[in-house]
């Protein structure tokens, strides 16, 4: 059981918009700790996608955006492309564990 | 541009000690950064193992703390993981990562390519 909860899978057609939720608790997201998102393509290492809720590293398309409210966060992907098919992970800090925690990952399928 | 490269034995016997080294290139391990290890069992999600500052200060995942040691070798610009009393449950891809942070947050970037370590007799 992951400390942060994500849906196991989401899907969408090319060009559509999808969102991936990340639900935490009062010891992590709810306390105000930031949320970060990673994209993991098959057979590859995770890659930073969004940091500090809604900041994109250089090279990440503007189609990716993040938000946070209360004990949850979301990753939105607009204009879905086939290359977006991957597993997406959220990450934050947990004060009870005194360390970083990840969501269980969400597999995005582009139909 | 900092790069990380994992290395170590790909096969460890049950009850033995897993050893992994993370070589840092393109930057100094003594920069103002923490360095971390994350693992991923085959087909499963990510688990934070622990982190180290160049001065040797460490933080560990409570679930692994009794078995984990992370150390730094500034002369070689690398840091290392030792995980003792391993079982098949420790079979995973082990990633090294640099930690970036603000006052209230830390995240991982970049990551090494990962090294698969299998625990089996």
């Amino acid at each position: 059981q992951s400390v942060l909860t994500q849906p196991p899978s989401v899907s969408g057609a090319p060009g559509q918009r999808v969102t991936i939720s990340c639900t935490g608790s009062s010891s992590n997201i709810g306390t105000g700790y930031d949320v970060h998102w990673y994209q993991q393509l098959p057979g590859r290492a995770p890659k930073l996608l969004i940091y500090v809720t809604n900041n994109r590293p250089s090279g990440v398309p503007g189609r990716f955006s993040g938000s946070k409210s209360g004990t949850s966060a979301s990753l939105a992907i607009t204009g879905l492309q086939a290359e977006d098919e991957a597993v997406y992970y959220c990450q934050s800090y947990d004060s009870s564990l005194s360390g970083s925690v990840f969501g269980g990952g969400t597999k995005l399928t582009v139909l | 541009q900092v790069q990380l490269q994992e290395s170590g034995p790909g096969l460890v016997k049950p009850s033995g000690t897993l050893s992994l080294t993370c070589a840092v290139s393109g930057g100094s391990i003594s920069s103002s950064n923490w360095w971390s290890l994350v693992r991923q069992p085959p087909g499963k999600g990510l688990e934070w193992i622990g982190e180290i500052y160049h001065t040797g200060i460490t933080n560990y995942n409570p679930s692994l703390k009794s078995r984990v040691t992370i150390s730094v070798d500034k002369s070689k610009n690398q840091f290392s993981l030792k995980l003792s009393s391993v079982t098949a449950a420790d079979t995973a891809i082990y990633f090294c990562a640099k930690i970036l942070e603000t006052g209230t947050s830390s995240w991982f970037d970049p990551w090494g390519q990962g090294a698969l370590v299998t625990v089996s007799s």
Side-chain angles (χ1 to χ4, degrees):
Chain A
Q1 288 280 42
S2 300
V3 174
L4 304 179
T5 301
Q6 299 180 234
S9 63
V10 297
S11 62
Q16 285 190 332
R17 178 181 187 269
V18 297
T19 61
I20 298 172
S21 62
C22 174
T23 302
S25 68
S26 57
S27 63
N28 41 69
I29 301 173
T31 299
Y33 292 110
D34 293 308
V35 178
H36 320 287
W37 294 90
Y38 303 86
Q39 178 192 60
Q40 187 174 33
L41 297 170
R44 304 291 296 274
K47 169 193 163 187
L48 180 68
L49 194 65
I50 297 283
Y51 65 98
V52 188
T53 304
N54 192 23
N55 292 274
R56 287 176 286 106
S58 174
V60 174
R63 304 184 293 104
F64 295 90
S65 64
S67 63
K68 188 179 80 164
S69 179
T71 58
S72 295
S74 291
L75 172 70
I77 310 172
T78 58
L80 264 184
Q81 299 182 3
E83 66 201 49
D84 298 332
E85 196 160 279
V87 179
Y88 294 83
Y89 293 93
C90 60
Q91 175 247 321
S92 186
Y93 179 87
D94 190 280
S95 56
S96 295
L97 299 176
S98 297
S100 292
V101 290
F102 289 94
T106 299
K107 180 172 174 53
L108 168 63
T109 300
V110 181
L111 302 171
Chain B
Q1 174 104 347
V2 169
Q3 294 183 310
L4 299 105
Q5 178 67 57
E6 304 86 351
S7 63
L11 182 64
V12 181
K13 293 187 186 306
S15 76
T17 297
L18 181 158
S19 296
L20 189 83
T21 296
C22 302
V24 177
S25 60
S28 172
I29 202 167
S30 297
S31 60
S32 300
N33 284 107
W34 288 77
W35 306 87
S36 188
L37 287 131
V38 175
R39 71 179 183 178
Q40 183 174 37
K44 296 187 178 181
L46 302 169
E47 180 181 33
W48 174 72
I49 298 171
E51 60 194 19
I52 188 165
Y53 196 59
H54 66 86
T55 57
I57 300 171
T58 54
N59 294 309
Y60 299 135
N61 186 322
S63 69
L64 299 170
K65 188 173 185 177
S66 63
R67 299 192 293 129
V68 171
T69 301
I70 300 175
S71 59
V72 64
D73 186 336
K74 289 187 280 186
S75 67
K76 295 183 178 178
N77 217 37
Q78 64 186 33
F79 59 105
S80 298
L81 166 71
K82 288 193 184 300
L83 181 65
S84 63
S85 304
V86 296
T87 68
D90 295 309
T91 294
I93 300 173
Y94 286 75
F95 296 101
C96 307
K98 177 181 173 180
I99 294 175
L100 300 177
E101 59 184 342
T102 63
T104 58
S105 185
S106 61
W107 60 97
F108 306 99
D109 185 51
W111 297 59
Q113 65 184 26
L116 174 63
V117 180
T118 301
V119 178
S120 175
S121 55

